[in-house]
Amino acid sequence: MWEYYWGHTKAQVELMSIDAPFVAYKAREKPKPGEPGYKADPDRIQRDYERWLEKKKSRKVNINTFLGGKDNNTKKE
């Protein structure tokens, strides 16, 4: 460490050993799901649920029959 003293003062060498980089990130305007303060939008939830139902109708594979279980989605008459 003595080579530092050829070009720097003792105060500069101590500052280099203590100093740490600081990164300031831009603050988010809205919290993400799962974070404190997050409030769900009911319209978005309904839209996503309807989209999920449409995808479920168009599925070709039933997960219950795929895993070897009984099919709970078929109607029993």
Side-chain angles (χ1 to χ4, degrees):
M1 185 150 135
W2 60 272
E3 59 270 357
Y4 287 114
Y5 289 112
W6 286 95
H8 302 287
T9 64
K10 183 178 179 188
Q12 289 173 324
V13 172
E14 288 178 1
L15 181 62
M16 285 189 294
S17 66
I18 297 171
D19 200 17
F22 175 75
V23 179
Y25 294 101
K26 185 176 179 181
R28 283 192 218 121
E29 294 176 10
K30 295 182 181 179
K32 289 186 175 183
E35 292 181 350
Y38 174 75
K39 293 183 180 178
D41 181 22
D43 295 331
R44 183 174 180 181
I45 292 173
Q46 185 64 32
R47 186 183 68 235
D48 291 343
Y49 177 69
E50 290 169 2
R51 187 182 313 156
W52 176 79
L53 284 177
E54 289 298 319
K55 284 183 181 180
K56 185 177 177 185
K57 288 179 187 176
S58 65
R59 282 187 200 153
K60 295 181 181 178
V61 178
N62 185 348
I63 192 70
N64 291 327
T65 56
F66 179 74
L67 295 175
K70 60 182 179 179
D71 188 7
N72 292 333
N73 293 335
T74 58
K75 293 181 181 178
K76 295 179 182 178
E77 296 181 29

